[in-house]
């Protein structure tokens, strides 16, 4: 997996322009030939169970709130600005990433932590096998929907989306890389403390828990198989809906005591919206 460090330090790529979007016909033909999952086919549509949970369209916004994205291939970012500069500072845990169209969860012991301070300074803690190396840097909001971030290198423009002040996605068009971050809570348990939840997508049951990894099922309109990791108050997930031939990811902030989990899910498609919908959970009795 290509590390986030390559994204924020490879300044030599700043001057390289990306390829323009292909024509619709060429894009569909290419995606059809390269598809390895049903949801990668041009005519594939989300199942009704997923469509029902997609957020409503954004309200009207003024011109100074409009995000000006380049005409390059990338995620379906919101057209209106979601970045409140006062909410950006904090400690952000890296939970999932996309590089060259491939998405993957970041495993325990490899999750980097990004610290953004109110004065525009920051630090990036590169984690490998549980050991961290710290890089100092800077950040600022350049324009609506765009953060400029740099650690031990030149600043890179990151087209970003912030949800519920605790879920952040950043994307760089030149390198075609993106990262999902979740804000670290002030307090968290050291391990998974519950295994059964009622959720907005059905009853969730962790059937196997080993250290800070788990696997299980979500029983709803269709059954989801899931697996993932827990780290410092944040639960990450890979989910698969075999009945509807769709899969994706999710991340949750866990309240102390494991009574409530608040999260977002998204599908396994780097050109889709970074956040597909809310996924909330309440601890249940057996």
């Amino acid at each position: 997996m290509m590390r986030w460090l390559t994204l924020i330090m490879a300044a030599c790529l700043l001057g390289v322009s990306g390829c323009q979007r292909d024509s619709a016909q060429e894009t569909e033909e290419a995606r059809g030939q390269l598809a390895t999952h049903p949801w990668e086919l041009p005519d594939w549509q989300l199942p009704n169970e997923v469509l029902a949970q997609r957020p409503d369209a954004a309200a009207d916004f003024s011109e100074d709130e409009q995000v000006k994205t380049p005409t390059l291939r990338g995620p379906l970012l919101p057209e209106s600005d979601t970045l409140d500069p006062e909410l950006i500072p904090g400690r952000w845990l890296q939970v999932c990433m996309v590089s060259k169209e491939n998405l993957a969860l970041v495993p325990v012991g490899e999750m980097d932590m990004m610290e953004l301070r109110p004065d525009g300074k920051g630090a990036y803690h590169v984690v490998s096998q549980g050991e961290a190396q710290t890089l100092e840097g800077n950040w600022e909001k350049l324009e609506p929907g765009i953060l400029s971030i740099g650690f031990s290198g030149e600043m890179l423009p990151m087209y970003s989306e912030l949800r519920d002040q605790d879920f952040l996605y950043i994307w760089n068009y030149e390198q075609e890389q993106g990262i999902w971050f979740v804000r670290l809570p002030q307090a968290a348990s050291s391990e998974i403390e519950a295994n059964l939840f009622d959720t907005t997508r059905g009853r969730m049951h962790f059937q196997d828990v080993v250290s800070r990894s788990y696997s299980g099922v979500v029983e709803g309109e269709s059954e989801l198989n899931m697996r993932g990791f827990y780290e410092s108050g944040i639960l990450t997930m890979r989910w698969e809906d075999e009945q509807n031939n769709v899969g994706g990811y999710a991340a949750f902030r866990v309240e102390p005591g494991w009574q409530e989990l608040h999260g977002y899910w998204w599908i396994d498609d780097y050109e889709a919206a970074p956040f597909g919908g809310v996924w909330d959970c309440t601890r249940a009795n057996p």
Side-chain angles (χ1 to χ4, degrees):
M1 185 195 314
M2 189 170 293
R3 302 286 298 169
W4 157 247
L5 184 59
T6 65
L7 191 155
I8 56 179
M9 293 185 66
C12 62
L13 294 181
L14 279 172
V16 179
S17 60
C19 297
Q20 298 293 314
R21 288 187 182 272
D22 299 325
S23 68
Q25 181 178 356
E26 291 173 343
T27 300
E28 290 193 359
E29 290 178 354
R31 291 185 64 181
Q33 294 170 359
L34 298 175
T36 57
H37 304 286
W39 58 86
E40 295 175 340
L41 296 171
D43 58 351
W44 184 84
Q45 295 183 352
L46 285 168
N48 291 332
E49 183 267 341
V50 174
L51 281 172
Q53 300 184 61
R54 292 180 65 84
D56 294 333
D60 291 340
F61 51 91
S62 62
E63 186 175 345
D64 61 357
E65 295 175 320
Q66 185 172 356
V67 181
K68 300 175 182 177
T69 56
T71 55
L72 302 169
R73 294 186 65 182
L76 184 61
L77 292 163
E79 295 181 349
S80 58
D81 185 19
T82 63
L83 302 179
D84 183 341
E86 294 185 0
L87 299 178
I88 300 301
R91 297 162 62 245
W92 297 92
L93 187 69
Q94 174 198 40
V95 297
C96 185
M97 64 184 302
V98 54
S99 178
K100 305 303 182 184
E101 304 184 17
N102 296 313
L103 280 70
L105 290 180
V106 183
V108 170
E110 301 291 331
M111 296 178 180
D112 298 343
M113 196 270 282
M114 180 173 65
E115 181 181 358
L116 303 180
R117 302 164 190 150
D119 62 358
K121 303 294 184 182
Y124 199 87
H125 306 278
V126 184
V127 179
S128 179
Q129 298 181 346
E131 299 292 329
Q133 176 187 359
T134 299
L135 304 171
E136 297 293 332
N138 302 277
W139 73 275
E140 66 174 322
K141 180 177 177 179
L142 281 181
E143 299 176 20
I146 306 175
L147 295 175
S148 179
I149 304 176
F151 298 95
S152 296
E154 294 189 39
M155 306 286 279
L156 291 178
M158 310 303 302
Y159 288 77
S160 309
E161 180 175 1
L162 179 66
R163 285 293 185 98
D164 291 352
Q165 76 182 22
D166 293 324
F167 299 84
L168 177 67
Y169 177 78
I170 62 176
W171 168 264
N172 179 268
Y173 281 96
E174 287 77 10
Q175 296 195 18
E176 297 184 357
Q177 290 187 340
I179 306 287
W180 283 264
F181 289 97
V182 181
R183 190 189 304 273
L184 283 163
Q186 294 295 322
S189 63
S190 59
E191 59 187 19
I192 297 173
E193 296 183 350
N195 66 354
L196 189 64
F197 302 88
D198 289 323
T199 87
T200 50
R201 299 189 72 182
R203 173 155 283 206
M204 182 166 69
H205 183 201
F206 297 170
Q207 297 173 322
D208 295 296
V209 177
V210 179
S211 185
R212 287 176 289 170
S213 301
Y214 69 92
S215 62
V217 297
V218 179
E219 298 173 348
E221 186 174 324
S222 58
E223 185 174 278
L224 308 179
N225 295 315
M226 61 175 182
R227 63 185 184 277
F229 308 104
Y230 172 74
E231 177 64 60
S232 304
I234 296 172
L235 188 80
T236 68
M237 179 186 296
R238 164 67 185 180
W239 55 269
E240 296 176 350
D241 180 350
E242 295 182 358
Q243 177 180 335
N244 291 303
N245 293 317
V246 64
Y249 299 88
F252 306 82
R253 274 174 52 99
V254 182
E255 294 296 324
W258 285 77
Q259 295 300 317
E260 303 286 340
L261 283 68
H262 174 55
Y264 277 88
W265 59 265
W266 54 94
I267 65 170
D268 190 357
D269 182 348
Y270 89 105
E271 290 187 291
F275 299 104
V278 172
W279 193 345
D280 284 338
C281 315
T282 302
R283 189 169 179 169
N285 295 320

